[in-house]
Amino acid sequence: MYKLFLFCFILSSFTSFATKRDSSKVEWIKVYFNERSDHSVALPNNYSHDLYDMMLPLIHRIDSAKFSVDVAAYDFQNMRIAHALANAARRGVRVRVVTDNSTRNRVPKYNTLIWDTLRKAGIYSIDDAGTVYFPDGKIVSLAQNLPNAGAIMHHKFAVIDNISEDPEDKYVWTGTMNLTYTGPWNTNATLVIKDNRITETYAEEFEQMWGSKTIIPNANSAKFHKDKHKSKNNIHFVGNTRVEAYFGPMDRGNTKPSISTRITELIEKYALHDVNFLAFAISSNIPLSQAMIDRSGRGEIYLNGVIDPAFYARYRNTGDIWTKPEMSFGKRSILPGKEVRKLHEKTIIIDARYPYPEQHKSVVLVGSYNFSKAAELANDENILMIFDNKIANQFYQDFSGVQNRAKGISYHRYPEIDTSKWYTNFKINDNGTIDVELDTTFMYPVSLLGIELPRIWAGHKDSSFYYSAEANAYLKELLQGASLKFSAGKEKPEHYFNRYFAYVTARKDSINTQVNHQLLATGNAIYSKKNRQQEDSIQSFLLAEKYAKEHGIGIWAHPELINTKKLTPEAEKLKNLFPLDINYASIEDLMLIKGVGIKTATSIVEYRQENGYFNTMDELLGIKGIGPATLEKLKEYLFIGN
């Protein structure tokens, strides 16, 4: 009872951002997931919408818009959304787009097509540096970027028909998914909310960044990052469901509600039984993480989490507590994810397994907000906190699906490979795998079955395995301009460890080449018995390898060097180059030193030209940007000659 009373007190502390009464009569929240949920934990008649085409809910809302569509997109590469927006603009809907400066042209072959499509439809856009992009191709930048330029506009939301006078027209789409081609394959969650007050709150956030209420953005009035003011309303009710909506980062005057503080309060004061999270990134030294760790350490709650494997590996390498043994026993279970691509969700589910839900609402927290200091203090973010047993249970089904895959109990969905199709869009990696476009612009790795190429990098980029450069160059030349077909004999390629293993046929100039066999016969690979293979292929491969071995072809010219490491050509060059005589080194030579860029290298050469030869290494301290620590590093690579 004390905890429930305390929670009511906490809620009252947030009612200074009180709700206005909704005027929409029909209100709802629908949630979508793109990976397989665990329906065994579903409440009755409450199965989650899993394995969903994640772009469809947004496309449907754009297609049904009658008055306006406002999109805030951190990363925008998906042409399906671009076409929907262009079509909406052509039928008279006002379309406006806010994006992040750093990602706007990150992938030119996608981004250029996106922005050209929007421009030709008469759509304006603005980025968080204050640059305005006009439909006629004109680009107008401010004399100086907007403040806090190092932060990112990390939002993923769309506001539909907010300018309509009818409250029944208003919708918000949001969640964890970027509008990229890989977004629907990264593990994500999205929501569509029909509620006029929440829509107006998100519209308020959008127009701060847009800088005007018209179709044309005003960079002089636009506010991003720490310059945005607090929302008029943070507490809403969708029907009878309490929903709290917050936007980051904290403003310069700290007048906005702190997202970090609110999450920490819910974990410390509201959670009675369990806290479960999916995290792309989660810093262990922030208050909300400390609250999870402390309460689970005292045995007060169960703590379960799955972290994206790339970030988990980073945490493991730095000895972070999330990867310590104590996070894997008792009431704790923190695991690295095993998803088809990134575990991109940022969700926390509180008391999803509480045995008396009718007395205590489960809560789900979801949005663009990564659990980090940058999300709290620098980046444009949004998060929803939904107090509803059924919605929280749908998120818990999704969480359980991710957790089961992390434990190896079940396996993720992956794109199908068509053994009858010739694939033309692919790239060859230095480790001998081939990334193939199996879904629209979604590249997926295929390894060559039955063979092993020497790897380019042998742990460090200064060394590679013997014959790796020659073997990988041969493979790239063999496949240059070819079409590829993948099989496993009479069967489909098998899928292991986030990739297919296949026999590859390359067609070039009407000539077919069996790639796996060819690499063995030319001494560019060795036979590997890993994974299930066809018996006739095994015999053929062994004979091809035997021929190359007996004739000393390729890698077999020096069999004693197989699986040994050697310096890369770049490392050999650097080995013979250093140390450099600082009085004769060129800018290009200096830039070969690790950590030295063009600015520092140019400053050293200019200093030498203006002041004459260096007599001591300590003279480098007279150059702006070089301090004692940098000087010590440079001394390893430089000397002063006669």
Side-chain angles (χ1 to χ4, degrees):
M1 286 295 296
Y2 170 73
K3 287 185 177 179
L4 291 177
F5 169 79
L6 188 57
F7 174 65
C8 292
F9 173 77
I10 293 167
L11 287 185
S12 68
S13 69
F14 278 76
T15 55
S16 57
F17 315 103
T19 64
K20 292 182 180 179
R21 186 174 181 83
D22 289 356
S23 52
S24 50
K25 297 178 181 178
V26 178
E27 300 174 350
W28 45 255
I29 302 172
K30 294 181 180 179
V31 187
Y32 306 90
F33 307 98
N34 60 339
E35 290 302 329
R36 184 172 286 106
S37 296
D38 179 2
H39 290 156
S40 71
V41 298
L43 294 174
N45 302 314
N46 193 49
Y47 288 155
S48 65
H49 293 100
D50 63 347
L51 298 175
Y52 213 84
D53 180 346
M54 295 292 269
M55 293 297 170
L56 276 181
L58 176 56
I59 290 171
H60 287 163
R61 292 270 58 89
I62 295 171
D63 287 348
S64 63
K66 295 178 284 186
F67 300 96
S68 63
V69 177
D70 295 331
V71 176
Y74 166 63
D75 203 350
F76 196 171
Q77 300 168 19
N78 195 290
M79 278 304 299
R80 295 171 66 194
I81 304 301
H83 285 310
L85 292 175
N87 290 337
R90 291 188 184 101
R91 67 174 186 268
V93 174
R94 188 193 72 181
V95 178
R96 309 185 296 182
V97 177
V98 169
T99 188
D100 177 72
N101 175 54
S102 65
T103 63
R104 185 180 180 94
N105 295 303
R106 180 162 58 183
V107 186
K109 69 177 181 178
Y110 300 147
N111 295 133
T112 301
L113 188 57
I114 290 282
W115 301 120
D116 281 350
T117 299
L118 299 188
R119 179 177 56 78
K120 290 175 182 177
I123 297 172
Y124 291 81
S125 63
I126 186 173
D127 65 30
D128 62 335
T131 302
V132 177
Y133 302 83
F134 289 73
D136 63 3
K138 182 173 66 175
I139 300 174
V140 178
S141 300
L142 294 172
Q144 186 173 356
N145 283 352
L146 290 174
N148 206 26
I152 59 175
M153 200 296 297
H154 197 236
H155 283 314
K156 311 105 169 43
F157 71 77
V159 180
I160 311 297
D161 281 344
N162 184 62
I163 63 174
S164 171
E165 295 182 358
D166 186 349
E168 303 300 334
D169 289 336
K170 302 186 179 189
Y171 296 84
V172 166
W173 173 93
T174 188
T176 69
M177 185 181 71
N178 290 317
L179 300 182
T180 59
Y181 281 110
T182 55
W185 284 100
N186 295 328
T187 301
N188 276 304
T190 60
L191 307 88
V192 176
I193 302 177
K194 184 183 184 303
D195 180 278
N196 67 301
R197 293 303 181 200
I198 288 182
T199 302
E200 290 161 9
T201 296
Y202 273 82
E204 179 188 3
E205 173 76 4
F206 182 91
E207 291 198 336
Q208 288 192 70
M209 299 183 291
W210 192 253
S212 83
K213 293 184 177 296
T214 71
I215 196 170
I216 304 174
N218 183 346
N220 293 311
S221 300
K223 292 179 173 60
F224 289 86
H225 313 312
K226 294 181 179 181
D227 291 318
K228 294 179 303 177
H229 59 68
K230 65 184 180 183
S231 301
K232 295 175 183 176
N233 296 294
N234 295 102
I235 313 300
H236 305 269
F237 284 88
V238 180
N240 294 320
T241 298
R242 180 187 180 91
V243 179
E244 301 178 19
Y246 301 105
F247 300 93
M250 286 298 292
D251 59 316
R252 297 183 189 279
N254 292 329
T255 63
K256 296 167 72 172
S258 163
I259 296 175
S260 175
T261 299
R262 184 69 184 116
I263 297 174
T264 304
E265 287 176 339
L266 289 172
I267 293 167
E268 289 182 338
K269 310 299 183 183
Y270 187 76
L272 298 178
H273 184 267
D274 55 275
V275 174
N276 313 273
F277 70 82
L278 298 177
F280 180 57
I282 181 166
S283 303
S284 60
N285 59 351
I286 57 177
L288 68 92
S289 295
Q290 289 299 312
M292 292 182 191
I293 293 167
D294 290 347
R295 290 205 65 197
S296 61
R298 294 193 297 266
E300 297 172 356
I301 59 169
Y302 289 91
L303 177 62
N304 299 283
V306 185
I307 303 172
D308 178 75
F311 275 91
Y312 189 93
R314 187 183 303 180
Y315 300 151
R316 183 182 59 234
N317 293 339
T318 57
D320 193 281
I321 191 171
W322 288 128
T323 64
K324 295 286 187 182
E326 58 264 35
M327 288 293 115
S328 298
F329 65 85
K331 289 191 170 184
R332 294 166 168 166
S333 175
I334 308 298
L335 300 168
K338 293 181 181 178
E339 300 301 281
V340 66
R341 286 197 86 255
K342 294 177 183 177
L343 174 53
H344 196 248
E345 282 197 50
K346 314 99 169 45
T347 60
I348 297 175
I349 313 148
I350 296 175
D351 289 339
R353 297 191 292 138
Y354 187 63
Y356 308 108
E358 67 277 5
Q359 300 176 18
H360 177 77
K361 296 289 186 183
S362 302
V363 188
V364 62
L365 290 64
V366 60
S368 70
Y369 186 92
N370 284 314
F371 308 121
S372 67
K373 288 183 179 179
E376 177 70 12
L377 301 176
N379 300 336
D380 291 314
E381 307 280 5
N382 67 91
I383 193 168
L384 293 168
M385 304 178 184
I386 305 170
F387 293 75
D388 185 89
N389 294 330
K390 288 190 173 182
I391 292 174
N393 175 254
Q394 291 175 21
F395 275 91
Y396 186 63
Q397 294 171 51
D398 174 61
F399 169 84
S400 296
V402 174
Q403 187 183 53
N404 289 342
R405 292 189 287 277
K407 292 178 177 179
I409 296 173
S410 62
Y411 299 94
H412 54 67
R413 170 185 65 119
Y414 48 86
E416 289 290 331
I417 196 165
D418 186 346
T419 57
S420 65
K421 179 178 178 179
W422 289 97
Y423 291 90
T424 57
N425 191 11
F426 60 86
K427 67 175 182 177
I428 302 142
N429 301 313
D430 287 335
N431 60 4
T433 61
I434 304 169
D435 286 346
V436 185
E437 184 186 23
L438 297 182
D439 195 54
T440 305
T441 68
F442 179 62
M443 310 299 283
Y444 200 73
V446 178
S447 286
L448 296 160
L449 179 61
I451 70 169
E452 186 174 323
L453 266 72
R455 296 198 307 275
I456 287 285
W457 305 123
H460 299 281
K461 290 193 175 183
D462 59 352
S463 63
S464 291
F465 283 105
Y466 164 68
Y467 210 75
S468 59
E470 296 87 344
N472 281 270
Y474 181 84
L475 176 62
K476 290 178 181 179
E477 182 180 358
L478 185 66
L479 302 188
Q480 179 68 37
S483 300
L484 305 184
K485 185 179 281 190
F486 304 93
S487 71
K490 298 177 181 179
E491 302 174 0
K492 284 189 174 183
E494 289 195 300
H495 188 275
Y496 300 98
F497 308 114
N498 290 356
R499 70 188 57 208
Y500 282 103
F501 288 82
Y503 301 132
V504 180
T505 303
R507 173 179 288 176
K508 189 189 302 186
D509 300 327
S510 301
I511 299 173
N512 290 350
T513 301
Q514 304 303 319
V515 175
N516 309 50
H517 186 277
Q518 180 73 5
L519 289 167
L520 288 170
T522 55
N524 284 287
I526 61 176
Y527 174 71
S528 171
K529 62 181 180 181
K530 294 179 181 177
N531 302 315
R532 186 161 62 88
Q533 303 173 39
Q534 298 291 309
E535 189 62 36
D536 55 348
S537 296
I538 295 172
Q539 297 303 317
S540 175
F541 283 13
L542 290 173
L543 287 172
E545 182 184 66
K546 181 181 178 183
Y547 176 85
K549 187 184 299 185
E550 290 177 346
H551 290 80
I553 300 174
I555 197 172
W556 297 107
H558 296 283
E560 73 280 3
L561 296 179
I562 293 176
N563 291 327
T564 63
K565 300 176 185 177
K566 58 178 290 188
L567 290 177
T568 63
E570 292 80 6
E572 285 283 2
K573 179 181 177 181
L574 297 180
K575 178 183 176 183
N576 297 325
L577 179 66
F578 295 126
L580 289 167
D581 187 337
I582 191 172
N583 284 321
Y584 294 97
S586 67
I587 292 173
E588 291 75 15
D589 289 341
L590 291 167
M591 287 175 62
L592 293 171
I593 298 173
K594 185 177 180 181
V596 174
I598 188 170
K599 184 176 180 181
T600 302
T602 303
S603 297
I604 291 173
V605 172
E606 289 178 349
Y607 184 92
R608 187 178 70 205
Q609 291 170 344
E610 294 174 6
N611 299 280
Y613 291 134
F614 290 93
N615 294 307
T616 68
M617 294 293 291
D618 289 345
E619 290 180 48
L620 286 168
L621 294 173
I623 298 173
K624 185 178 180 181
I626 298 180
T630 302
L631 175 62
E632 289 304 311
K633 292 179 182 178
L634 290 174
K635 285 180 178 179
E636 299 178 29
Y637 300 95
L638 300 172
F639 76 101
I640 297 175
N642 293 329

